[in-house]
Amino acid sequence: MNDNLINETVNQLLDFNTSKPLSHYVTFNGNKIRYTKVPKEKKGLYAFWLLNNDRDVEKLNRLLEIKGPGNELYPFTWDWNVNEKSILVYVGKTTTFKSRLAQHLKLKTFNWEVPEDKTSPYKSTTSCQLRSGIEHLLSGNTQPTNLGLDFIRDRIRVSYIPLDGLGNRFFAEDLAIGKGKPWFNVDSER
């Protein structure tokens, strides 16, 4: 492990200026997508940013209930950074960036799942945490449809920083989550 490398990587990752529009990595053609410009370095850290230039995030469903110990429900609100122009929403590590990006976005699926009780966002695993979080944000307004995919296309930016070494990636991810406080990581490990 390399402490300096971990710190430098986290600082780069948490700098919004390192992010690129989703369209940098994904080309959209109707309902079809093609992955382009995916980094050759597969191992690294990534972050998803939500653009909030118009402050519309304040109007979205940021309230949820998280199941805690004993399955007790705890009310929770994504209420930090709501006035920022960009909001860090998820940080993760990967050994295959293209595959991880596909899992998070699920861009070929149009069946938005919203729990009937509108508590915690539904997700089968943490690999789709971004999509689940966006679905939850949109669920308070109207039943999400393929317009939700437009929301993702228009508002999500991606940072990717290559990083070798399992220990480096593990601790860099934890440090980035602690420093950046991404919204959708809150519910990823209960």
Side-chain angles (χ1 to χ4, degrees), residues 100-117:
R100 183 63 62 172
L101 188 58
Q103 290 170 336
H104 270 290
L105 298 175
K106 292 188 170 190
L107 291 175
K108 291 186 179 180
T109 50
F110 285 88
N111 58 332
W112 292 75
E113 299 179 40
V114 179
E116 287 182 30
D117 60 3

Side-chain angles (χ1 to χ4, degrees), residues 65-74 117 119-120 187 189-190:
E65 289 182 318
I66 297 175
K67 286 184 182 175
N71 281 332
E72 188 175 335
L73 293 176
Y74 294 88
D117 60 3
T119 56
S120 296
D187 190 37
E189 309 222 359
R190 296 178 274 207

Side-chain angles (χ1 to χ4, degrees), residues 43-45 94-95 163-173:
K43 298 175 182 174
L45 294 180
T94 185
T95 55
L163 182 63
D164 266 333
L166 177 65
N168 289 336
R169 285 191 306 280
F170 178 82
F171 288 108
E173 178 191 33

Side-chain angles (χ1 to χ4, degrees), residues 83-102:
N83 296 316
E84 297 294 323
K85 290 184 178 182
S86 59
I87 300 168
L88 183 64
V89 291
Y90 191 80
V91 167
K93 63 184 176 303
T94 185
T95 55
T96 311
F97 180 64
K98 178 181 175 182
S99 172
R100 183 63 62 172
L101 188 58

Side-chain angles (χ1 to χ4, degrees), residues 24-129:
H24 178 81
Y25 299 110
V26 179
T27 301
F28 302 97
N29 185 7
N31 293 349
K32 295 183 180 179
I33 57 171
R34 193 180 79 202
Y35 291 88
T36 56
K37 298 183 185 171
V38 175
K40 290 182 180 167
E41 303 90 356
K42 297 179 178 183
K43 298 175 182 174
L45 294 180
Y46 60 93
F48 293 117
W49 299 86
L50 177 62
L51 295 179
N52 187 33
N53 293 328
D54 54 12
R55 308 267 194 254
D56 266 0
V57 169
E58 291 183 34
K59 300 174 191 170
L60 300 177
N61 182 22
R62 294 177 291 109
L63 306 171
L64 65 154
E65 289 182 318
I66 297 175
K67 286 184 182 175
N71 281 332
E72 188 175 335
L73 293 176
Y74 294 88
F76 193 83
T77 305
W78 293 313
D79 59 1
W80 58 98
N81 298 332
V82 212
N83 296 316
E84 297 294 323
K85 290 184 178 182
S86 59
I87 300 168
L88 183 64
V89 291
Y90 191 80
V91 167
K93 63 184 176 303
T94 185
T95 55
T96 311
F97 180 64
K98 178 181 175 182
S99 172
R100 183 63 62 172
L101 188 58
Q103 290 170 336
H104 270 290
L105 298 175
K106 292 188 170 190
L107 291 175
K108 291 186 179 180
T109 50
F110 285 88
N111 58 332
W112 292 75
E113 299 179 40
V114 179
E116 287 182 30
D117 60 3
K118 297 202 175 166
T119 56
S120 296
Y122 168 79
K123 60 204 166 303
S124 49
T125 68
T126 59
S127 68
C128 62
Q129 194 82 357

